[in-house]
Amino acid sequence: MKLLKIIQKNYVEIMISMIVVILLVLSFYPLYMLVIKSFKTISDDQSNPFGLPLIWSLENYQYAWIVIKPYMLNSLFVTIIQTVGIVSIGSFTAFAFVRFNFPYKNVIFYMIISLLMMPGIVTLTSQYELVNKLGLVNSHWGVILPAIAGSIPFATFLLRTSFSGVSTELLDAATIDGASDFQVYYNVMLPISKPIIWTLIITSFIGGWNDYLWPSLVLLDEKLHTLPIALVNFTTSYYGMTGGYGAPFAAYVISSLPLLIVFLLASKQFIAGLTSGSIKM
């Protein structure tokens, strides 16, 4: 009877806890299967697809690393340059909107922000035509430059909102002390806004690292392919030859490591940026 009364009294909390547990299982089970299958041999995977490996083998990881290594280097180059460009140009633009007064400042800002309302798929054809005319097809810069340009509206909106919260008196005091506008930007604004800067770095890095559609259209030469393209091709060819997913799953685990490293290095700043009020969720 006591147990029944407790259940009746805490019915809502129990239901919420059960829903949370179910969602956690649904979220982590695919990751569990990904890691487990990455250690299985082909015969082990076929005979025991859902159980633990009979022998924990690293052969899949050795083979996967040989296959994806050059494409991982391509992705690192594209993603790092892309992230640096987004953060640099976005922070410069946001600082200009906060620090300087110029004609039609608000109109220009809202015109930039309006671009956020336009789905990227709408401009895909015209963007490809522009890249083709500039001779950037089959070049990493054909991936990097459009990605930077397409991310500037969001970066400007995000950073301007954060920069607006910095005390004007602090910026004026730095100017009175003889700091140039760039010194105010670099030595005052960026350190104060570090959490939101890291939030933008992480979101930009993840977006660039996982991008598949645009690189697959622009990068025709296999040697220039980024990691998502290589993973799709590797999975298709490997399964066609062996009927298993061990090595491709190992490649997926390896490809996720840079994202995990970036997030672990900046997790505190990322969480601070999300909870600082700079992002209205």
Side-chain angles (χ1 to χ4, degrees), residues 178-231:
S180 64
D181 290 327
F182 180 79
Q183 288 174 326
V184 172
Y185 158 81
Y186 186 77
N187 295 320
V188 179
M189 187 66 81
L190 291 187
I192 292 176
S193 306
K194 188 179 294 184
I196 204 66
I197 292 291
W198 273 107
T199 300
L200 181 60
I201 289 174
I202 291 176
T203 55
S204 300
F205 193 92
I206 292 175
W209 188 262
N210 293 328
D211 190 18
Y212 171 78
L213 178 60
W214 182 247
S216 66
L217 294 175
V218 175
L219 303 177
L220 307 178
D221 189 348
E222 184 180 350
K223 294 181 180 179
L224 298 175
H225 282 177
T226 53
L227 197 54
I229 305 173
L231 289 175

Side-chain angles (χ1 to χ4, degrees), residues 69-122:
K69 181 180 178 180
Y71 307 109
M72 179 171 282
L73 295 176
N74 289 341
S75 278
L76 283 172
F77 172 76
V78 169
T79 305
I80 290 174
I81 299 298
Q82 182 175 310
T83 302
V84 171
I86 293 170
V87 175
S88 299
I89 299 176
S91 60
F92 289 152
T93 308
F95 180 75
F97 278 112
V98 171
R99 185 61 176 159
F100 306 122
N101 290 316
F102 48 88
Y104 307 107
K105 181 173 76 171
N106 290 332
V107 174
I108 295 172
F109 176 72
Y110 287 117
M111 288 177 64
I112 294 174
I113 296 306
S114 66
L115 296 175
L116 290 173
M117 303 299 106
M118 185 177 297
I121 196 71
V122 173

Side-chain angles (χ1 to χ4, degrees), residues 101-148:
N101 290 316
F102 48 88
Y104 307 107
K105 181 173 76 171
N106 290 332
V107 174
I108 295 172
F109 176 72
Y110 287 117
M111 288 177 64
I112 294 174
I113 296 306
S114 66
L115 296 175
L116 290 173
M117 303 299 106
M118 185 177 297
I121 196 71
V122 173
T123 61
L124 196 64
T125 302
S126 57
Q127 183 172 279
Y128 183 85
E129 184 178 357
L130 176 61
V131 169
N132 187 37
K133 288 183 177 180
L134 293 175
L136 297 177
V137 172
N138 212 28
S139 167
H140 285 147
W141 292 105
V143 176
I144 294 170
L145 295 179
I148 293 175

